[in-house]
């Protein structure tokens, strides 16, 4: 009996000592680690932890800035820009003529240039849309001059000249690149494409000319009219 009581006392003391150890033991806080949370500053696949751009993004940003600076420098030289575009067009046509293929690419390029040309001839604010909505007085945008004695207002195009040149040149370059891949050489009877393009060009230009005559505007601005006074003869009149 005494031996059982002693064993129970030992077991009770051991439980009490274990509880004291468990209570005094500090809790361990587990913080989750995110995979790839840290990133070196020179990582070439993304931005660093400090928000600095990566090597690839810096390269393309610098390349885009150089390209934009060359475009800005070429803005006043419209004759040289269009001359280079016409030369590039001639090179493309000669290449297509000798390769005897890629006619569908040439047709798509012609349709694209036709759409650009129509946008170049169209005003920024279409008067037909304003007429349909009952706002023909151009309250929401600049008016087109309809009389000779009205104040000079330059023609504002839907597609400016520089964007027209830039888009046309990019289209020719893309078409030139397509001629290096046989996947774009779709067999087609090219005289049908030529006749269809001529018919589409005539119909589109006829509609554009009717639009210009109806709303009395000319898509070209030559500058403000200047008036000359009488020449000074040098004679004086006595009063």
């Amino acid at each position: 009996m005494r031996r059982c009581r002693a064993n129970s006392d030992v077991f009770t003391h051991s439980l009490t000592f274990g509880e004291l150890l468990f209570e005094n033991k500090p809790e361990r806080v587990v913080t989750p680690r995110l995979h790839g949370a840290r990133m070196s500053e020179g990582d070439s696949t993304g931005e660093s932890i400090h928000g600095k751009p990566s090597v690839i993004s810096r390269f393309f940003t610098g390349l885009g800035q150089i390209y934009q600076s060359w475009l800005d420098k070429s803005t006043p030289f419209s004759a040289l820009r269009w001359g280079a575009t016409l030369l590039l067009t001639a090179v493309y046509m000669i290449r297509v003529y000798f390769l005897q293929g890629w006619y569908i690419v040439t047709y798509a390029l012609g349709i694209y240039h036709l759409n650009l040309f129509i946008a170049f001839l169209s005003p920024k604010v279409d008067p037909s849309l304003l007429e349909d909505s009952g706002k023909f007085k151009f309250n929401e945008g600049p008016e087109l001059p309809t009389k000779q004695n009205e104040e000079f207002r330059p023609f504002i195009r839907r597609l400016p000249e520089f964007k027209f040149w830039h888009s046309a040149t990019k289209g020719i370059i893309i078409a030139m690149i397509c001629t290096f891949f046989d996947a774009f050489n779709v067999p087609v009877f090219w005289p049908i494409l030529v006749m269809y393009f001529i018919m589409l060009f005539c119909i589109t230009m006829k509609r554009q000319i009717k639009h210009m005559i109806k709303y009395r505007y000319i898509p070209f601005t030559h500058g403000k009219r200047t008036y000359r006074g009488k020449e000074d003869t040098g004679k004086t009149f006595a009063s």
Side-chain angles (χ1 to χ4, degrees), residues 81-95:
R81 287 191 282 106
W82 283 105
T85 302
L86 291 177
L87 181 62
L88 189 63
T89 305
V91 172
Y92 173 76
M93 298 302 294
I94 293 173
R95 175 175 174 79

Side-chain angles (χ1 to χ4, degrees), residues 1-192:
M1 191 71 179
R2 290 180 180 178
R3 184 177 298 178
C4 293
R5 184 178 297 176
N7 292 333
S8 62
D9 293 337
V10 172
F11 182 74
T12 304
H13 287 297
S14 63
L15 287 177
T16 305
F17 183 74
E19 290 175 357
L20 290 175
L21 288 177
F22 183 78
E23 290 178 356
N24 294 331
K25 187 176 181 180
E27 294 184 359
R28 187 176 182 182
V29 180
V30 180
T31 57
R33 294 185 61 185
L34 298 178
H35 180 68
R38 287 189 175 182
M39 187 178 296
S40 61
E41 296 184 5
D43 194 0
S44 60
T45 60
E47 293 186 355
S48 65
I49 193 172
H50 300 288
K52 295 182 180 180
S54 62
V55 176
I56 297 177
S57 62
R58 287 200 302 266
F59 172 76
F60 283 105
T61 302
L63 192 64
Q65 291 175 354
I66 295 174
Y67 178 71
Q68 187 62 41
S69 66
W70 278 102
L71 288 179
D72 295 338
K73 291 178 182 179
S74 65
T75 302
F77 306 102
S78 58
L80 293 177
R81 287 191 282 106
W82 283 105
T85 302
L86 291 177
L87 181 62
L88 189 63
T89 305
V91 172
Y92 173 76
M93 298 302 294
I94 293 173
R95 175 175 174 79
V96 170
Y97 175 76
F98 282 105
L99 291 178
Q100 294 294 317
W102 288 272
Y103 299 118
I104 195 69
V105 176
T106 307
Y107 174 75
L109 179 64
I111 295 297
Y112 178 67
H113 283 177
L114 180 60
N115 291 331
L116 292 177
F117 185 63
I118 294 300
F120 175 74
L121 297 178
S122 302
K124 186 176 182 180
V125 180
D126 193 353
S128 62
L129 299 178
L130 297 177
E131 186 181 25
D132 295 338
S133 60
K135 299 179 181 179
F136 187 64
K137 292 185 178 181
F138 290 88
N139 293 327
E140 299 180 357
E143 299 181 7
L144 296 174
T146 57
K147 298 180 182 179
Q148 293 183 355
N149 55 357
E150 285 187 359
E151 183 181 357
F152 173 77
R153 288 185 292 271
F155 181 79
I156 301 179
R157 307 179 186 278
R158 185 188 305 173
L159 182 66
E161 180 269 335
F162 184 79
K163 290 185 178 180
F164 177 33
W165 166 80
H166 190 217
S167 300
T169 307
K170 286 195 300 183
I172 297 171
I173 294 175
I174 293 174
M176 185 81 72
I177 294 173
C178 290
T179 57
F180 290 94
F181 299 95
D182 292 333
F184 297 101
N185 189 13
V186 180
V188 66
F189 189 59
W190 65 267
I192 296 179

